[in-house]
Amino acid sequence: MTPDVIMRELARHDIFPKDAMAAATVQSDVMAPAFIALLDRISRQRSGAMSDDDLMALIPATYLLAQWRETRAYRPLLRLLRRSTRTLDLTLGDAVTESVFRMVAGTFDGDLDPLFESIMDLRADDFARGSMMCSLVVIAQLHPTLRPEIESFIRSFLTRQPKAPEDLLISWADVVADLGLEDMTETVRAVFDKGLIPKDYCDFSHFLGDLEATRAEGGMPASPRYRHGLIEDAIEELSRWYCYSDAYFEKQKALKENPDPRVIPMANFVRNLAPTAGRNDPCPCGSGKKFKKCCLQ
């Protein structure tokens, strides 16, 4: 396939573009700049100015950039993640909580400052900020020399942003446990005691359990959200998303509608399955959230 054909195939509404993704990987030296330009364009455009073709191509293109460890995509991706909730719903959908932290870690260019700045951005979506915070756990594992800087950021976070929203505080407490920062136990306890993290999500004992699990793994994060590591095979992963399934395309064909450009990961496909996890267990969909705060709702 030529680059133009690849871009057209990625923008189609009626197929999972695995052939185009495979062809792009063979030509990654040519396609990476085109994909980065796409990501950069969307990160800067008004929502109303974004084309359906660009929106349909964004997820496979960004997944491939992360698979290719394309560091030039790091800053455009962070810029997109600082956009409004409405824009993120349109462009990345559930990927914000499902896989964005792996995209950020996979494209990381070695400079933590843009990531720290994005996490601290009060105007950014809380879930996006939390996902970016989770990317720090992966980066700390991949780049041990940066771990002290990452730990320092997490330790100072509450001082720098004392009125952080609850969804971001949840991610912060999770990251404290995932990094195994035992010296912060009392700081986290105080956050729970003040009710800043809602009890219907989890309580302090769950944090202690997560911290102990990290300790038992020798300091490696034990949370299921990290079990996949970096994105290694974009085709294989996206093939499991409902919006790329034959069943979904058949449904849209019967309705004579094009799929919504907003992507819908596998998580939404399993919401009606019989629950097999306890309320406080990690959600079976793989989002990294507690079951009661995800597919159980």
Side-chain angles (χ1 to χ4, degrees):
M1 291 186 191
T2 66
D4 287 344
V5 171
I6 289 172
M7 295 303 294
R8 285 200 299 271
E9 289 293 294
L10 292 180
R12 287 181 59 177
H13 292 262
D14 59 339
I15 62 166
F16 171 46
K18 62 180 180 180
D19 291 340
M21 293 174 70
T25 298
V26 173
Q27 307 174 57
S28 60
D29 57 333
V30 175
M31 296 309 303
F35 289 171
I36 293 166
L38 166 67
L39 179 58
D40 185 64
R41 182 166 62 250
I42 289 182
S43 74
R44 298 177 186 276
Q45 284 180 322
R46 292 182 296 103
S47 298
M50 298 173 185
S51 72
D52 281 0
D53 284 354
D54 279 357
L55 292 172
M56 290 299 292
L58 178 64
I59 284 292
T62 308
Y63 251 78
L64 285 171
L65 289 170
Q67 176 187 316
W68 300 339
R69 310 293 185 263
E70 180 49 74
T71 57
R72 290 174 295 176
Y74 175 60
R75 292 165 197 255
L77 176 58
L78 292 181
R79 187 162 51 247
L80 175 58
L81 291 172
R82 295 175 73 169
R83 298 289 299 274
S84 68
T85 299
R86 179 176 179 275
T87 297
L88 292 180
D89 282 346
L90 179 66
T91 55
L92 295 173
D94 288 348
V96 169
T97 53
E98 297 285 327
S99 52
V100 151
F101 72 97
R102 299 169 66 215
M103 295 178 185
V104 171
T107 59
F108 177 60
D109 69 1
D111 187 354
L112 287 167
D113 286 341
L115 180 52
F116 290 160
E117 183 180 337
S118 299
I119 294 170
M120 297 299 292
D121 189 347
L122 295 171
R123 298 167 299 177
D125 175 81
D126 294 340
F127 287 110
R129 295 172 71 194
S131 195
M132 289 187 283
M133 188 174 282
C134 289
S135 73
L136 293 174
V137 178
V138 183
I139 292 170
Q141 297 297 320
L142 296 173
H143 305 276
T145 59
L146 297 179
R147 187 179 179 99
E149 190 175 353
I150 290 170
E151 290 186 1
S152 177
F153 174 78
I154 295 299
R155 287 192 169 95
S156 66
F157 177 73
L158 291 184
T159 302
R160 299 170 64 187
Q161 198 157 116
K163 295 185 179 180
E166 66 178 37
D167 289 321
L168 189 56
L169 285 175
I170 289 169
S171 295
W172 169 79
D174 286 342
V175 168
V176 170
D178 296 334
L179 289 173
L181 304 182
E182 297 181 45
D183 59 298
M184 294 192 65
T185 299
E186 293 307 312
T187 302
V188 176
R189 186 196 301 272
V191 170
F192 277 94
D193 288 346
K194 292 175 183 178
L196 299 178
I197 294 178
K199 291 184 178 180
D200 66 347
Y201 175 78
C202 68
D203 58 34
F204 183 63
S205 67
H206 297 122
F207 164 80
L208 291 177
D210 292 342
L211 186 63
E212 175 58 35
T214 299
R215 185 187 301 115
E217 292 294 327
M220 298 291 289
S223 171
R225 77 166 60 85
Y226 303 110
R227 69 181 181 274
H228 296 303
L230 296 181
I231 294 169
E232 301 289 351
D233 188 337
I235 293 174
E236 193 278 331
E237 288 201 27
L238 292 183
S239 69
R240 301 196 303 267
W241 285 26
Y242 177 50
C243 66
Y244 292 128
S245 69
D246 290 341
Y248 183 66
F249 291 128
E250 286 299 319
K251 177 181 176 182
Q252 297 304 310
K253 184 177 179 180
L255 294 173
K256 297 183 180 180
E257 295 178 359
N258 284 332
D260 189 327
R262 184 178 66 180
V263 292
I264 309 171
M266 183 71 174
N268 286 345
F269 187 48
V270 301
R271 288 188 188 277
N272 294 322
L273 297 181
T276 58
R279 288 175 55 82
N280 289 309
D281 292 337
C283 187
C285 77
S287 68
K289 303 176 187 177
K290 300 292 186 182
F291 185 42
K292 64 188 177 186
K293 294 296 287 184
C294 192
C295 293
L296 185 61
Q297 293 185 329

